[in-house]
């Protein structure tokens, strides 16, 4: 008698977008602050929560179950409010409270370079908006709510004919082993999104929100979308590597691209990419995108 093994149960890919509202005590970054946030957070986690540090930081660069989105602004006056985003994936979501505490502690000890700040509010960015779970006035309000990737993939009720994608932090993607320095095609972005989601799901040992064999129609739709206008610039960043103790230069594109064409089914994936971020160095704050839909009929 043949006995077939039971199918492995599906484990939907977990995602926890954290939003921190911070008050500057006088911050001054010499350049893009992603490296300072990454290094400072890692240092505090290594001291306060070794398990969280090991699972979030002591992995390969492309296997980190978080993405960081710092502000592009370099200076903040004392009392000025600003935002920091950090999204956790898979078993990384288990360390949400440790990360939140580390962000608060980092503000007191200070970013180097940068300065000090105060944590005013911590929220999750749910599909319907922000849900606060901590405030400086009330302390912890509730445990942060964890979502699944498919929760962010609701299809638009009306057809979508155009969109603008803002590359708010440098995007590093390659084509033919060369770093892209011009406006990416819409289909190129969609392929990168699926590559990013598949990679995160593999590391987390969870299931992507859409199987590879079911993506054909999405790729076909994306191929019909064209670039209407673009304003793209290459943004170079100097960073000192703690590992090699050498200065390293990273580049990526920033700016905005307007796309036109039918994108009813694919645009929700671009919005999910706004949480996951795209390309290389997402743990250092690269690859942040914001998508604006228009021409709804």
């Amino acid at each position: 008698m043949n006995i077939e093994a039971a199918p492995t149960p599906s484990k939907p890919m977990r995602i926890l977008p954290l939003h921190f509202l911070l008050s500057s005590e006088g911050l001054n970054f010499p350049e893009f602050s992603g490296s300072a946030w990454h290094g400072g957070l890692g240092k505090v986690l290594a001291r306060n929560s070794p398990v969280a540090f090991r699972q979030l930081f002591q992995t390969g660069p492309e296997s980190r179950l978080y993405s960081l989105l710092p502000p592009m602004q370099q200076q903040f006056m004392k009392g000025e409010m600003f935002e920091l985003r950090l999204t956790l994936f898979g078993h990384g979501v288990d360390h949400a409270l440790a990360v939140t505490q580390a962000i608060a502690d980092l503000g007191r000890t200070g970013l180097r370079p940068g300065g000090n700040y105060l944590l005013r509010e911590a929220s999750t960015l749910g599909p319907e908006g922000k849900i606060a779970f901590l405030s400086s006035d009330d302390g912890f309000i509730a445990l942060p709510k964890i979502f699944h990737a498919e929760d962010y993939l609701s299809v638009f009720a009306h057809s979508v004919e155009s969109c603008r994608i803002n590359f708010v932090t440098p995007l590093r993607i390659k084509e033919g082993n060369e770093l892209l320095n011009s406006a990416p095609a819409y289909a190129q972005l969609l392929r990168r999104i699926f590559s990013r989601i598949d990679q995160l799901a593999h590391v987390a040992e969870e299931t992507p929100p859409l199987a590879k064999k079911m993506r054909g129609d999405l790729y076909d739709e994306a191929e019909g979308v064209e670039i209407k206008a673009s304003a793209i610039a290459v943004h170079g960043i100097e960073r000192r590597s703690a590992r090699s103790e050498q200065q390293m230069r990273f580049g990526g594109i920033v700016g905005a691209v307007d796309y036109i064409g039918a994108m009813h089914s694919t645009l929700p994936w671009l919005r999910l990419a706004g949480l996951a971020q795209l390309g290389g160095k997402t743990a250092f704050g690269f690859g942040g995108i914001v998508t604006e839909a228009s021409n709804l009929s």
Side-chain angles (χ1 to χ4, degrees):
M1 179 175 65
N2 293 327
I3 300 177
E4 294 184 1
T8 303
S10 175
K11 295 173 60 179
M13 180 179 160
R14 292 173 292 169
I15 181 171
L16 180 55
L18 298 174
H19 176 279
F20 301 106
L21 182 63
L22 309 174
S23 174
S24 170
E25 291 288 284
L27 287 167
N28 190 345
F29 299 104
E31 55 183 19
F32 177 64
S33 64
S35 180
W37 288 103
H38 173 271
L41 177 61
K43 184 177 294 185
V44 175
L45 278 178
R47 182 188 67 216
N48 291 359
S49 182
V51 174
F53 174 74
R54 183 169 62 252
Q55 293 196 4
L56 292 175
F57 278 76
Q58 290 188 318
T59 64
E62 305 307 321
S63 302
R64 290 174 177 162
L65 290 174
Y66 74 96
S67 60
L68 172 72
L69 190 65
M72 284 290 284
Q73 188 174 329
Q74 291 179 277
Q75 294 183 339
F76 297 91
M77 301 295 291
K78 183 177 175 61
E80 186 174 356
M81 306 295 284
F82 66 102
E83 300 175 351
L84 175 75
R85 271 184 26 201
L86 191 148
T87 303
L88 300 169
F89 309 96
H91 52 262
V93 305
D94 299 332
H95 305 294
L97 295 183
V99 168
T100 300
Q101 186 62 56
I103 292 293
D105 291 350
L106 179 58
R108 288 188 287 268
T109 59
L111 287 157
R112 302 291 181 266
N116 297 78
Y117 61 87
L118 298 174
L119 174 60
R120 296 300 187 187
E121 182 181 88
S123 306
T124 58
L125 293 177
E128 304 301 324
K130 290 199 307 180
I131 307 170
F133 65 88
L134 176 147
S135 75
S136 56
D137 293 330
D138 301 322
F140 276 101
I141 302 166
L143 290 175
K145 185 177 179 180
I146 298 168
F147 298 92
H148 294 133
E150 54 261 39
D151 294 334
Y152 295 88
L153 293 172
S154 58
V155 177
F156 293 91
H158 304 283
S159 63
V160 182
E161 300 167 356
S162 67
C163 75
R164 168 170 291 180
I165 298 180
N166 300 286
F167 302 100
V168 295
T169 63
L171 174 69
R172 291 175 54 84
I173 60 175
K174 289 184 177 181
E175 284 295 326
N177 293 322
E178 294 292 332
L179 199 64
L180 187 73
N181 58 12
S182 59
Y186 187 84
Q188 186 179 24
L189 289 177
L190 185 68
R191 290 194 298 271
R192 295 292 179 172
I193 292 166
F194 280 124
S195 176
R196 169 77 168 142
I197 296 300
D198 288 343
Q199 178 190 60
L200 289 167
H202 174 74
V203 174
E205 298 181 330
E206 296 179 346
T207 306
L210 187 66
K212 292 182 180 180
K213 63 182 179 181
M214 300 177 65
R215 300 172 185 175
D217 290 344
L218 294 176
Y219 288 131
D220 289 343
E221 180 181 271
E223 290 292 345
V225 177
E226 300 178 347
I227 295 175
K228 180 181 179 181
S230 66
I232 291 294
V234 176
H235 189 90
I237 296 168
E238 293 283 346
R239 172 180 171 264
R240 184 171 179 80
S241 171
R243 184 173 301 176
S244 66
E245 297 185 351
Q246 294 180 341
Q247 286 295 118
M248 304 178 68
R249 184 169 181 80
F250 298 110
I253 59 170
V254 294
V257 182
D258 293 328
Y259 297 92
I260 188 167
M263 52 187 75
H264 180 75
S265 299
T266 51
L267 198 59
W269 291 90
L270 271 295
R271 291 192 161 174
L272 179 59
L275 301 176
Q277 297 170 225
L278 294 180
K281 307 295 182 185
T282 54
F284 288 87
F286 288 72
I289 70 172
V290 175
T291 301
E292 304 170 25
S294 59
N295 289 359
L296 300 180
S297 58

